[in-house]
Amino acid sequence: MSPSTWAGSVRSSPRANAYGRGEKYSLELGNDLSKALTSELAMLASPQTMPLFLQKYQRKQIKQYQRREPIYKGMGDIICCLDESDSTVGDPAAWGKAVALTLLEIAADGGRNFALVHFSNRGRCQTDLFRPGAYTMDDKMRAAETFLGGGTNFETPMWESLRLMREDGFENADIVFISDGECAMPEHFIEELRQEQAERRFTITGVLLDSGSPGMDFSLKEFCQNIYRTSQLAGEDIVREVVGKRV
């Protein structure tokens, strides 16, 4: 929303100045997933409705809250590891994709690199790289439509994240790890990961997909410095918290 547009809404509403920065106050159409209505995001949870969601997203016709924008002053690049195992089918997958795509939009606004690491079984992952100005809407659509299925293994996406830092120019990136939390990593790998964090000084933020059925976070506590639950915060609030930690 442009400053002039927002200013116009202030002049037309005598109560506008009572709203705080970032507070919801009206509805509009667009494709900002951090402001999308829950009913819109729910379409991501079903193969039958996902094409409709993607069509609305591409045409900027998603129903979203209109509000004064928060200011994001992000620092480095972002690596987002997204759990696409069978256990995330439904609402967890929808929230996970919404958070991931919103982080992509924020990275793009800041001219930063973004990597989306889809993962499931051991050895099975797919990485989509988004360099500033070097990808299209179709690239984003393909990433949104990807769903690997299968079991859950955390080592594979973490190794891929470290590879991106070592070889693909993500040396200043932080990691956002989105999962339903149903996995554990061996102690020797946890120790190696901690050593890498100490040397590279990156943080790992966990997003636990437990909306509707609050779950355990034991497997995220082992390696995440911050953990947010979809059972406690909406996707847009999680994104705001995640980005706020990087200001």
Side-chain angles (χ1 to χ4, degrees):
M1 185 178 183
S2 67
S4 60
T5 302
W6 185 79
S9 66
V10 170
R11 286 191 291 270
S12 63
S13 174
R15 296 188 57 199
N17 59 2
Y19 290 100
R21 177 178 282 282
E23 187 174 348
K24 306 165 190 174
Y25 68 96
S26 186
L27 293 178
E28 63 182 356
L29 296 179
N31 63 353
D32 187 339
L33 298 183
S34 70
K35 300 187 292 185
L37 272 63
T38 302
S39 58
E40 298 284 78
L41 296 178
M43 289 190 289
L44 280 168
S46 170
Q48 287 73 38
T49 56
M50 181 178 286
L52 175 59
F53 175 88
L54 295 177
Q55 183 183 68
K56 294 175 70 174
Y57 177 79
Q58 190 168 18
R59 295 177 178 177
K60 297 185 178 181
Q61 293 179 343
I62 290 175
K63 294 177 183 177
Q64 61 187 43
Y65 292 109
Q66 183 185 58
R67 62 176 179 239
R68 191 174 181 181
E69 296 292 340
I71 297 175
Y72 295 119
K73 296 189 298 179
M75 298 170 66
D77 302 326
I78 302 173
I79 299 173
C80 180
C81 299
L82 179 60
D83 187 349
E84 294 180 350
S85 60
D86 290 339
S87 61
T88 66
V89 170
D91 288 345
W95 280 114
K97 287 183 184 294
V99 171
L101 291 173
T102 302
L103 289 172
L104 168 57
E105 297 293 339
I106 291 171
D109 288 343
R112 291 172 283 159
N113 292 319
F114 181 86
L116 178 55
V117 181
H118 313 260
F119 71 91
S120 58
N121 296 326
R122 177 181 293 275
R124 189 179 185 192
C125 74
Q126 174 183 315
T127 301
D128 295 321
L129 295 181
F130 297 90
R131 310 282 189 183
Y135 61 89
T136 65
M137 178 64 75
D138 286 341
D139 294 325
K140 292 196 288 186
M141 293 300 96
R142 280 192 290 271
E145 291 175 321
T146 298
F147 187 81
L148 300 181
T152 307
N153 178 269
F154 286 175
E155 288 182 70
T156 297
M158 292 309 306
W159 278 122
E160 173 64 3
S161 297
L162 294 177
R163 187 196 67 78
L164 290 168
M165 292 179 181
R166 295 165 181 162
E167 303 175 9
D168 265 338
F170 282 80
E171 58 272 9
N172 296 319
D174 288 314
I175 299 173
V176 178
F177 199 92
I178 305 174
S179 177
D180 58 1
E182 296 298 328
C183 187
M185 292 193 290
E187 186 57 39
H188 69 85
F189 180 78
I190 294 292
E191 182 58 33
E192 183 169 352
L193 183 59
R194 287 171 180 164
Q195 291 177 5
E196 288 281 352
Q197 282 190 276
E199 292 176 7
R200 298 178 181 277
R201 302 183 68 180
F202 63 88
T203 61
I204 306 175
T205 298
V207 178
L208 183 62
L209 303 173
D210 65 343
S211 181
S213 56
M216 294 181 289
D217 57 3
F218 65 94
S219 52
L220 295 184
K221 279 184 176 179
E222 292 292 332
F223 62 95
C224 292
Q225 285 69 63
N226 303 292
I227 298 175
Y228 300 100
R229 297 172 178 263
T230 56
S231 63
Q232 297 175 346
L233 290 172
E236 62 190 78
D237 297 318
I238 290 174
V239 169
R240 190 176 298 114
E241 289 284 338
V242 169
V243 176
K245 292 288 185 180
R246 309 176 79 248
V247 171

